[in-house]
Amino acid sequence: MKRQRRAALVNDITGFGRCSITVELPIVSALKVEACPFPTALLSVHTAFPNPFIRDETSIMRPYMENWKEHGVEFEGISTGFLGSEAQVDIVSDFIHLFKKKDTLVIVDPVMGDWGKLYASYSPALSEKMKQLLPLADVITPNLTEASRLLGIPYPGNRDLTDQELEEIARALSEKGPSQVVITGISRKENVGNYVFERGRPSAYIGSRRVGGERSGTGDVFTGILTGCLVRGDALIPTVRKAADFISRALAYTAEQDIPPACGIAFEQFLTEL
Ligand SMILES: Nc1ncnc2c1ncn2[C@@H]1O[C@H](COP(=O)(O)OP(=O)(O)O)[C@@H](O)[C@H]1O
Ligand SMILES: Cc1ncc(COP(=O)(O)O)c(C=O)c1O
């Protein structure tokens, strides 16, 4: 049977605020890859809003994936994002073992923290446990906070790190499993960008001029574009360029519309041009 390539999106579903699966799924679909959500939690609004309704979905995850297996569902891509507990890391490891075929690409966005600090929901034990996903990943997309936690090194600060410093961090992460490492959110003067490492190839810094201040959901738009493009077979460097350009354009439009930062990126405006 001929069909489109297919990706499982392991992340939370947040109803309002444009993040996680709500953002990744339309982007992956627009890139012509079939997207199958695997929810880790259900939130009314994301955690940058006060008092969100949150329901942890750990208890459904095993029966949900076993049911997919019974139905013979196969994936050419698995992307993982926000995980709420150590038990979820174990389930996601089992999910990857159960569903990874020879041609399945595993993309892990180790959502753990920012600006040198872990998110409130990430205990040091959970951050330690996330290391378990590294040997299972083909591609990882940490920011510098997450990269330093995964390596057990001090946070280097987001000063203008040299290519050599970034290369050492990316290579050390790659030695733990993933052949491709994209370190996101790297500030360089007026730019923000990504250090792209591919084992056996020259690395590159791919950035754009920083648009506006902090805004929720940039990481999820980024992971969505990487998932869709890499699962359909595009090369890493042009894919990261595409993601950075798309985010810049959508951020500029979002700022023009005066949309509050917690309401995410108005990516819908450009979705059909991906
Ligand atoms: N303000 C911004 N202006 C331009 N590009 C941005 C901006 N914020 C993020 N990006 C792009 O999106 C990528 C991912 O965003 P980032 O904020 O690092 O993700 P995360 O939310 O996972 O920390 C960045 O590496 C950069 O390419
Ligand atoms: C549950 C949840 N998922 C995803 C996000 C979005 O994260 P990012 O801004 O790194 O894309 C948030 C942001 O607050 C969140 O609360």
Side-chain angles (χ1 to χ4, degrees), residues 11-12 14 18-20 43 45-49 82 109 111 114 119 143 146 214-221:
N11 213 332
D12 61 83
T14 293
R18 292 196 186 93
C19 72
S20 45
L43 289 85
V45 294
H46 62 63
T47 54
F49 287 92
F82 181 84
D109 184 13
V111 183
D114 216 344
Y119 294 131
N143 58 30
E146 293 152 350
E214 280 289 291
R215 185 170 280 281
S216 304
T218 47
D220 297 319
V221 173

Side-chain angles (χ1 to χ4, degrees), residues 114 143 184-185 192-194 209-213 218-219 222 244 247-248 251:
D114 216 344
N143 58 30
T184 64
V192 56
N194 309 277
R209 188 172 283 269
R210 184 182 290 278
V211 183
T218 47
F222 190 81
I247 290 171
S248 289
L251 278 173

Side-chain angles (χ1 to χ4, degrees), residues 174-225:
S174 176
E175 279 164 6
K176 294 181 183 292
S179 59
Q180 299 178 319
V181 175
V182 181
I183 306 178
T184 64
I186 309 278
S187 291
R188 278 195 173 167
K189 299 206 169 69
E190 69 278 16
N191 292 339
V192 56
N194 309 277
Y195 191 79
V196 185
F197 172 95
E198 289 183 86
R199 212 181 284 154
R201 294 197 178 183
S203 300
Y205 173 81
I206 298 179
S208 7
R209 188 172 283 269
R210 184 182 290 278
V211 183
E214 280 289 291
R215 185 170 280 281
S216 304
T218 47
D220 297 319
V221 173
F222 190 81
T223 310
I225 296 176

Side-chain angles (χ1 to χ4, degrees), residues 18-83:
R18 292 196 186 93
C19 72
S20 45
I21 287 182
T22 315
V23 164
E24 288 170 350
L25 192 145
I27 289 177
V28 170
S29 301
L31 290 163
K32 302 181 175 60
V33 170
E34 183 183 351
C36 304
F38 185 178
T40 57
L42 199 56
L43 289 85
S44 54
V45 294
H46 62 63
T47 54
F49 287 92
N51 196 25
F53 167 83
I54 305 181
R55 195 174 76 175
D56 177 273
E57 296 295 4
T58 306
S59 67
I60 67 148
M61 288 174 74
R62 280 194 192 280
Y64 191 106
M65 76 180 188
E66 281 159 11
N67 191 265
W68 267 352
K69 199 72 197 171
E70 281 160 28
H71 284 280
V73 185
E74 294 190 338
F75 300 102
E76 289 69 48
I78 297 172
S79 95
T80 78
F82 181 84
L83 300 178

